[in-house]
């Protein structure tokens, strides 16, 4: 540890045999070897996201009934339903794509409001991805395997003294 800053002297991932996997929400690093309750965590994540989506739809139904009671008119009702449907579809697509590639932070910041309105779509994307793998596992595995290969390539060193190397003629 560095006395002045309180940070480790070695960069993260370099000590102890190379790069370390990035933890996933709800899964930690159990996604690497599918251990430490990985299957149970996947079932829990799928059930939790489906339950949250179901509860959210019930709340949206109550909001819809409130709009009907207020008798705001067909135009407003259709407009609100279309807004939630379109935002949910866009949030689903955005969340689903986020499991395969990193998003641009500026784009994510500009979509924050849309994603908040379409939260049901994000929950459903999380549910469907949990059926096959930990959400984001594919992306993190590709990045981790690439970092591992680069580390192994860099750490392979010649043995012996290079000054005594026999030259080819």
């Amino acid at each position: 540890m560095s006395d002045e800053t309180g940070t480790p002297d070695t960069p993260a991932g370099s000590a102890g045999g190379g790069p370390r996997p990035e933890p996933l929400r709800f899964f930690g690093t159990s996604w690497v070897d599918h251990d430490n309750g990985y299957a149970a965590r996947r079932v829990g994540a799928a059930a939790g996201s489906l339950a949250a989506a179901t509860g959210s739809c019930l709340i949206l139904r109550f909001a819809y009934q409130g709009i009907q009671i207020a008798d705001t008119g067909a135009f407003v009702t259709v407009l609100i339903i279309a807004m939630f449907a379109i935002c949910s579809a866009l949030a689903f697509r955005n969340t689903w794509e986020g499991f395969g590639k990193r998003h641009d932070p500026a784009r994510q910041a500009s979509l924050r409001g849309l994603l908040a309105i379409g939260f049901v779509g994000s929950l459903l994307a999380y549910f469907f991805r949990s059926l096959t793998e930990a959400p984001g596992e594919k992306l993190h595995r590709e990045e981790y395997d690439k970092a591992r290969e680069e580390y192994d390539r860099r750490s392979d060193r010649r043995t012996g003294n290079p000054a005594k190397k026999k030259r080819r003629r």
Side-chain angles (χ1 to χ4, degrees):
M1 284 251 176
S2 171
D3 290 335
E4 291 130 16
T5 61
T7 58
D9 289 331
T10 56
S14 62
R20 287 181 255 167
E22 185 177 343
L24 290 174
R25 179 181 294 154
F26 306 124
F27 293 91
T29 57
S30 66
W31 62 269
V32 176
D33 296 321
H34 293 188
D35 58 354
N36 296 330
Y38 172 80
R41 290 176 191 218
R42 261 191 43 208
V43 169
S49 60
L50 184 61
T54 303
S56 300
C57 287
L58 287 174
I59 291 171
L60 289 176
R61 182 172 184 258
F62 292 141
Y64 174 75
Q65 288 176 342
I67 292 171
Q68 282 185 325
I69 291 170
D71 197 29
T72 56
F75 178 73
V76 173
T77 304
V78 169
L79 198 62
I80 290 175
I81 291 171
M83 175 194 63
F84 274 107
I86 291 169
C87 290
S88 291
L90 291 173
F92 180 93
R93 184 175 145 255
N94 187 58
T95 304
W96 191 265
E97 287 176 352
F99 296 140
K101 65 177 178 149
R102 299 265 182 199
H103 285 301
D104 177 31
R107 181 174 180 264
Q108 283 299 103
S110 67
L111 290 176
R112 187 171 292 133
L114 181 132
L115 296 176
I117 294 169
F119 62 98
V120 174
S122 293
L123 290 169
L124 290 175
Y126 205 84
F127 166 72
F128 286 121
R129 183 55 76 144
S130 295
L131 296 177
T132 57
E133 68 175 8
E137 178 181 348
K138 180 180 177 183
L139 172 67
H140 284 79
R141 187 169 303 283
E142 288 172 358
E143 291 174 351
Y144 177 65
D145 289 343
K146 183 179 177 183
R148 195 78 196 151
E149 287 175 16
E150 290 174 4
Y151 173 79
D152 290 341
R153 215 176 350 190
R154 284 191 316 261
S155 64
D156 288 341
R157 293 186 174 88
R158 285 191 307 217
T159 58
N161 186 351
K164 293 183 181 179
K165 180 180 172 185
K166 293 181 184 178
R167 297 183 183 226
R168 295 183 189 172
R169 291 182 190 208

